[in-house]
Amino acid sequence: MIGAGPSNLALAVALEECGSPEVAGRALIIEQHEDVKWQRNLLLPWARSQVSYVKDLVTLRNPRSRFSFLNFLHERGELDEFVNLSTFNPFRWQLSAYQQWVADSLEHVQVRYGARAGDILPIYGEDSTVLGFAVSLSNGDTVICRDLIIGAGRDASVPPVFAGLPAERVVHSSQYGSRVAAVNALAQPGRPLRPVVVGGAQSAAEVFMALHQDAPGSSPMMLMRSIGLKDYQTSKFVNALFFPSFVDEFYAMSEPTRVKVLEEMRLTNYAGLAAPFLDELYTMIYRQKMLGQPVSAIRGLTEIVGARMEPAAGGGEEVVLDVRDLRTDRVEPVRCDAVFLGTGYDQRMPAMVRRLTEAMKLPEVSVNRSYRVDLGEGARGGLYLQGVNEATHGISDSLISVLAHRSAHIVGDVLQRRADTEAGGADVDTSSAATRAQLAVPA
């Protein structure tokens, strides 16, 4: 399993509880960092999850599990205080700590930290069927597996208009926590940082809010194409579409119907903010105005059509953004020190998946109901994709809402496939010599 995020941790829990300690004991999670953190660069002290804690890694699949969020609080002596908050929505840092606790509580599945996955190659049998995979790690090791589960998330989306700017001037929201201090140092002496935040959804708004603390004295400007900040669609009727049972319905739909449903559900997850957070933002700007403080700007109906570096009036360089007002079509320059992107994630398959499927010469990535990629008839190795199957499994696929049930589908498929092939036949050979002989694309 590549990535110790919530998807693969939920899968690890399902393996621990599947009744086959042997299978669980042969499972390994590879994590590039030295610990588990959920949205590690947006662990803002005030940021909350928009999803109920009941939709943790396990409860909807097994309410009696010892790996539940409530048991995490119980074991830490924090249950009474949390109950007293009268909320379904924990702080993000609490869910992050919960996920580390789950990783530490695993008895059979192993987690290998500080191991970044590099090249992934298929292993073929004599009949050119896929037997498994070889995953190269950054330290030179190679891990051989029969079943590979990729749950490392999507790649950050950086619009092409910013491609010409120096890397130190552009910060995606997924990098915020680890880079904001260095970016703050780019401000001219004696002048606060002049940051511009691009985007109109939750991550952009969180960065916009956080900059008021992390770049003291600054007055961030937020630019977005939409007319203004919007809240998520959160009616109970719409939320029913996040039930795990809706995945079956969505998967059975025709492709045109899926496209229509995804478009209608866009505001349940994308291009919106949680209503309480919208109130906080509005109140902050109101307070700035009423107290005569420098007012942070939120500008809708704008589009960035150019970005470049120019000499700054006080020396050094500054970023110049060419910003088009969509109401008048007028373009004006906006000068700043750095650009923070809340522009979301690339909706294509992650680059890691694309490289692997291109190496396997797959004409397309076709995923079945159990999240397994079609590798051709007779394949013994399995490739599973987590969190990137919205087109076939619905908008909840990238969220924690379906983690518990998705894990049950994947584990069930893995166990069934292993049972079907236990009787004999070629399988992945973990001996190095045999593996090297198999690491070739078939003719």
Side-chain angles (χ1 to χ4, degrees):
M1 291 177 273
I2 298 178
S7 293
N8 280 342
L9 287 174
L11 184 60
V13 170
L15 284 166
E16 293 267 325
E17 298 180 343
C18 75
S20 178
E22 179 185 356
V23 172
R26 297 177 65 184
L28 172 68
I29 297 177
I30 296 170
E31 170 54 44
Q32 62 178 319
H33 296 101
E34 299 296 334
D35 57 5
V36 171
K37 280 190 170 60
W38 183 47
Q39 300 187 38
R40 68 175 56 239
N41 277 307
L42 281 176
L43 286 176
L44 307 168
W46 36 262
R48 287 181 180 265
S49 167
Q50 279 80 63
V51 181
S52 167
Y53 68 83
V54 179
K55 297 181 178 181
D56 59 15
L57 303 182
V58 64
T59 297
L60 292 183
R61 176 181 61 79
N62 177 13
R64 298 179 178 179
S65 174
R66 68 181 181 90
F67 291 100
S68 71
F69 178 72
L70 289 183
N71 191 43
F72 157 74
L73 294 175
H74 170 69
E75 290 203 356
R76 288 165 59 111
E78 299 172 0
L79 186 56
D80 288 340
E81 286 84 354
F82 179 78
V83 171
N84 203 38
L85 282 177
S86 300
T87 182
F88 277 102
N89 304 106
F91 290 101
R92 188 176 294 155
W93 50 263
Q94 279 184 302
L95 288 179
S96 180
Y98 159 63
Q99 290 167 26
Q100 179 69 74
W101 172 82
V102 168
D104 294 341
S105 302
L106 298 171
E107 295 181 350
H108 303 290
V109 179
Q110 301 176 57
V111 182
R112 184 170 179 178
Y113 296 105
R116 185 180 181 88
D119 292 335
I120 305 173
L121 292 175
I123 301 173
Y124 292 97
E126 294 180 359
D127 57 355
S128 297
T129 57
V130 178
L131 300 182
F133 302 90
V135 182
S136 299
L137 304 183
S138 53
N139 65 357
D141 290 349
T142 298
V143 175
I144 306 300
C145 61
R146 171 174 169 169
D147 296 312
L148 176 66
I149 298 96
I150 299 179
R154 293 191 183 275
D155 302 322
S157 174
V158 178
V161 70
F162 302 107
L165 295 179
E168 66 269 17
R169 300 280 182 163
V170 181
V171 180
H172 191 269
S173 61
S174 62
Q175 306 167 321
Y176 178 79
S178 59
R179 293 191 55 197
V180 64
V183 172
N184 199 29
L186 296 173
Q188 294 292 324
R191 187 187 69 195
L193 185 75
R194 297 173 299 164
V196 167
V197 179
V198 179
Q202 185 77 21
S203 59
E206 288 183 359
V207 168
F208 178 76
M209 176 72 90
L211 281 166
H212 290 81
Q213 288 83 47
D214 297 332
S218 68
S219 299
M221 175 182 291
M222 189 175 187
L223 302 175
M224 70 194 79
R225 287 196 183 98
S226 60
I227 193 170
L229 297 175
K230 309 169 187 172
D231 58 354
Y232 290 127
Q233 291 180 1
T234 57
S235 82
K236 292 179 173 57
F237 295 99
V238 171
N239 280 345
L241 302 181
F242 288 93
F243 290 176
S245 57
F246 184 69
V247 179
D248 290 323
E249 294 182 46
F250 189 87
Y251 191 82
M253 294 176 186
S254 66
E255 185 174 351
T257 303
R258 289 176 185 165
V259 172
K260 182 176 184 298
V261 171
L262 284 176
E263 181 59 32
E264 287 193 21
M265 292 185 68
R266 179 175 173 75
L267 265 179
T268 64
N269 187 39
Y270 300 115
L273 285 72
F277 189 46
L278 277 172
D279 289 342
E280 288 182 40
L281 281 173
Y282 188 87
T283 301
M284 178 189 72
I285 294 176
Y286 172 83
R287 187 170 57 244
Q288 291 173 347
K289 290 179 179 178
M290 296 302 106
L291 295 177
Q293 299 171 343
V295 179
S296 302
I298 298 179
R299 293 177 55 180
L301 292 175
T302 60
E303 180 182 26
I304 299 172
V305 295
R308 61 191 181 279
M309 299 298 297
E310 286 188 359
E317 288 189 304
E318 63 186 358
V319 177
V320 179
L321 303 177
D322 295 320
V323 179
R324 174 183 291 144
D325 188 322
L326 298 178
R327 292 163 292 196
T328 64
D329 211 34
R330 179 184 174 186
V331 177
E332 63 174 319
V334 170
R335 300 179 182 276
C336 62
D337 297 310
V339 182
F340 293 83
L341 302 179
T343 48
Y345 293 85
D346 193 332
Q347 292 305 295
R348 296 177 297 171
M349 283 291 170
M352 177 185 293
V353 176
R354 297 200 306 272
R355 289 193 298 268
L356 175 57
T357 54
E358 287 168 6
M360 301 175 76
K361 293 183 168 58
L362 292 180
E364 63 177 349
V365 179
S366 177
V367 182
N368 71 5
R369 176 62 185 85
S370 295
Y371 307 91
R372 176 164 46 90
V373 176
D374 182 0
L375 300 181
E377 188 175 352
R380 291 179 177 271
L383 173 62
Y384 297 85
L385 304 180
Q386 296 219 66
V388 294
N389 302 304
E390 287 189 2
T392 52
H393 291 68
I395 201 167
S396 62
D397 196 64
S398 62
L399 307 178
I400 64 176
S401 299
V402 297
L403 292 186
H405 281 273
R406 182 167 70 203
S407 299
H409 276 275
I410 294 175
V411 169
D413 193 66
V414 168
L415 294 178
Q416 184 60 55
R417 287 175 43 251
R418 287 175 180 257
D420 290 344
T421 58
E422 226 174 33
D427 206 342
V428 60
D429 191 330
T430 56
S431 67
S432 59
T435 296
R436 281 197 298 271
Q438 292 169 315
L439 288 176
V441 176

